Amino acid sequence: MLKHIVMWKFKAAEGKTLKENVQIVKNGLESLSPKVPHIKKLTFLENQVECDRNFDALLIVETENEQELENYKNHPEHKKVAEYVKKVTENRGAVDIWE
């Protein structure tokens, strides 16, 4: 299984607070599982300890292989959510690992 792990620092933007944007992105990403067949499992986690150095949220998307990950990334439903994510985040980190 290939795990695509992404972390973001969110910001107040698009007329919403940072926390509202985290929730909007969470809802958008969690809605992808039934729409995007390439996703085997999707987990969205919010930071729970206040620390300026911490990222605000973490996403783990599991796919069968690299091609399925690319299919997920290029799926029109994912692209819709990703466009909003770009507007409401100020920093991103990601790793892809085989497990």
Side-chain angles (χ1 to χ4, degrees), residues 22-85:
V22 170
Q23 193 60 49
I24 290 166
V25 170
K26 178 180 192 230
N27 292 342
L29 289 168
E30 287 180 342
S31 76
L32 294 178
S33 287
K35 299 174 188 174
V36 182
H38 316 290
I39 298 171
K40 298 302 176 207
K41 183 177 179 183
L42 184 145
T43 305
F44 187 95
L45 302 165
E46 294 178 53
N47 182 54
Q48 297 180 356
V49 176
E50 291 296 322
C51 177
D52 290 342
R53 296 175 304 184
N54 286 5
F55 282 81
D56 298 304
L58 171 80
L59 173 71
I60 304 169
V61 175
E62 296 181 30
T63 61
E64 289 290 329
N65 54 48
E66 291 175 50
Q67 184 58 56
E68 292 294 294
L69 178 59
E70 287 305 310
N71 292 342
Y72 156 74
K73 290 179 181 178
N74 292 305
H75 193 282
E77 293 296 322
H78 173 261
K79 285 188 170 198
K80 287 180 194 175
V81 177
E83 282 304 310
Y84 189 78
V85 170

Side-chain angles (χ1 to χ4, degrees), residues 10-25:
F10 280 79
K11 62 185 177 182
E14 299 296 301
K16 307 284 186 220
T17 67
L18 181 150
K19 290 190 182 290
E20 288 171 323
N21 282 327
V22 170
Q23 193 60 49
I24 290 166
V25 170

